[in-house]
Amino acid sequence: MKIRALLVGLVAVGLSAAAAAADPIVIKFSHVVAQDTPKGKAAEKFKELAEKYTSGAVKVEVYANSTLYKDKEEMEALQLGAVQLLAPSLAKFGPLGVREFEVFDLPYIFDGYEALNKVTQGAVGQQLLAKLEPKGIKGLAFWDNGFKSFSANTPIRAPEDLKGKKMRIQSSKVLEEQMREVKSLPQVMAFSEVYQALQTGVVDGTENPHSNLYTQKMHEVQKHMTLTDHGYLGYAVITNKKFWEGLPAEVRTQLDKAIAESTVYANQIAKEENDKSLEAVRASGKTEIYTPTAEEKAAFKKAFMPVHKKMESRIGKDLIQSIYKETGFDPARL
């Protein structure tokens, strides 16, 4: 029995040595925002947990701030297998042909994180992620960033103040319609190009969560910001479906655990990081921050609400209604 136990021990040591000697599985995780944003920090947290839980069998390389791929390049790179993990903003899936994700771009559809999480952490969210699979993409999780504010070099106190302004947006038919609804001029532009475009006057303003605005130094070239909370910016953590399903089962199990824990972390820090960034913008003295009154915010909601109806044929009326049901939102009450 002692000899058998010794042999079993030697085999186990040999297998461990072989595993240690094997080249690790490299996962390239590309994203377009700064490392100190909620998404940037969550990506680093995933790296830490993935390498820990797989005992080094996986090595995660995080490429922040568009250093590997820009907005318009990263999705194709994932489908081709040149990168293994992305966390693109939800607006990116409309141009890919999965228009249902544009429901997240509808103005004022979520009244805060509690309403939002009923969707992203529930059945509707899982149904949406499953719609990516025919594109060769596996959806793993939703990560929050935050709610957006408008910025410009002139005050924005009412929807009419956006009229005629060239406003940078992500590529999204919903966001285009949102801007047109208040007679502003939507300008689709890669995130990495926005600071220079603001600096040179190519665009007049933006809509961003505070952490994105601050970490990209946009507040240095924007004199005014209004806390409208009119839209949500979040991400879907996605991978190449063939790559993920080709991983050894035990590795995938540990990576699923790392994704789950980094998602909890990402969503916990999102509001905290945006609040910190807002205070940093305020402390800089470069941007005047305006908080709308209840009446002013109601005016913004009323001005943007026709976008919901106009986008029913694109996004799907049933999907929009299912979100209303989950969150308790009723446009008729506005």
Side-chain angles (χ1 to χ4, degrees):
M1 291 298 290
K2 287 183 179 178
I3 293 173
R4 184 177 176 185
L6 179 61
L7 287 172
V8 168
L10 287 171
V11 168
V13 170
L15 286 172
S16 298
D23 290 336
I25 298 166
V26 175
I27 294 179
K28 292 180 180 178
F29 190 160
S30 173
H31 65 81
V32 302
V33 298
Q35 191 172 333
D36 53 351
T37 58
K39 178 163 67 171
K41 290 186 175 183
E44 293 296 333
K45 174 62 73 172
F46 170 75
K47 170 183 168 66
E48 173 196 327
L49 295 174
E51 293 178 351
K52 174 185 171 185
Y53 292 151
T54 62
S55 303
V58 167
K59 180 185 178 186
V60 180
E61 298 175 354
V62 179
Y63 297 88
N65 239 351
S66 304
T67 52
L68 191 60
Y69 295 106
K70 291 184 179 181
D71 269 339
K72 294 177 182 178
E73 305 165 343
E74 61 177 15
M75 200 74 79
E76 184 180 5
L78 183 83
Q79 289 175 300
L80 293 172
V83 64
Q84 289 73 45
L85 214 60
L86 301 176
S89 59
L90 300 171
K92 298 293 190 301
F93 298 111
L96 190 67
V98 191
R99 294 177 176 178
E100 291 90 342
F101 276 84
E102 289 184 349
V103 75
F104 290 101
D105 290 336
L106 288 172
Y108 290 112
I109 193 167
F110 301 111
D111 187 21
Y113 288 102
E114 184 178 348
L116 165 74
N117 290 337
K118 287 178 181 177
V119 174
T120 56
Q121 309 305 318
V124 174
Q126 290 306 305
Q127 289 162 14
L128 285 168
L129 290 178
K131 290 182 181 294
L132 297 172
E133 300 213 1
K135 304 292 182 182
I137 294 170
K138 183 168 181 63
L140 301 174
F142 288 99
W143 285 359
D144 291 342
N145 185 337
F147 289 87
K148 297 183 282 189
S149 293
F150 285 120
S151 68
N153 283 325
T154 53
I156 301 170
R157 303 285 188 268
E160 299 77 44
D161 294 331
L162 291 163
K163 185 178 179 179
K165 283 188 169 58
K166 294 174 289 184
M167 300 294 289
R168 181 268 170 175
I169 61 165
Q170 298 184 76
S171 179
S172 163
K173 295 299 182 185
V174 176
L175 296 180
E176 285 181 29
E177 189 60 43
Q178 169 191 281
M179 293 306 185
R180 290 196 183 102
E181 194 64 38
V182 291
K183 297 181 170 58
S184 66
L185 307 171
Q187 308 289 310
V188 175
M189 183 177 293
F191 186 68
S192 58
E193 298 168 8
V194 179
Y195 177 89
Q196 187 175 4
L198 290 169
Q199 189 177 42
T200 56
V202 171
V203 294
D204 300 315
T206 70
E207 52 159 21
N208 273 300
H210 309 138
S211 62
N212 280 11
L213 182 117
Y214 178 68
T215 57
Q216 294 294 319
K217 304 183 187 300
M218 294 180 201
H219 65 291
E220 295 180 355
V221 286
Q222 294 279 265
K223 294 177 182 176
H224 296 271
M225 179 166 66
T226 300
L227 307 182
T228 46
D229 288 335
H230 63 278
Y232 168 71
L233 179 64
Y235 311 108
V237 183
I238 59 174
T239 185
N240 180 291
K241 186 173 183 286
K242 186 177 179 181
F243 165 78
W244 196 258
E245 292 178 351
L247 290 170
E250 65 275 14
V251 169
R252 194 165 60 245
T253 297
Q254 297 307 322
L255 291 179
D256 282 336
K257 183 179 177 184
I259 284 286
E261 291 186 19
S262 56
T263 296
V264 171
Y265 171 79
N267 295 345
Q268 282 177 344
I269 67 168
K271 186 177 186 306
E272 178 186 328
E273 290 294 318
N274 278 295
D275 288 347
K276 283 181 184 176
S277 291
L278 178 61
E279 289 313 306
V281 171
R282 199 187 305 275
S284 76
K286 296 179 183 293
T287 304
E288 181 182 327
I289 298 169
Y290 182 73
T291 303
T293 65
E295 292 77 16
E296 287 169 333
K297 196 162 186 179
F300 276 107
K301 286 185 178 182
K302 191 170 182 180
F304 284 126
M305 210 42 55
V307 178
H308 288 221
K309 196 73 179 171
K310 289 180 180 179
M311 288 291 111
E312 282 181 354
S313 60
R314 180 177 176 85
I315 296 171
K317 182 177 180 179
D318 289 347
L319 174 59
I320 294 171
Q321 292 294 329
S322 71
I323 289 180
Y324 289 171
K325 185 178 179 181
E326 285 289 334
T327 64
F329 179 71
D330 183 2
R333 292 206 302 259
L334 293 177

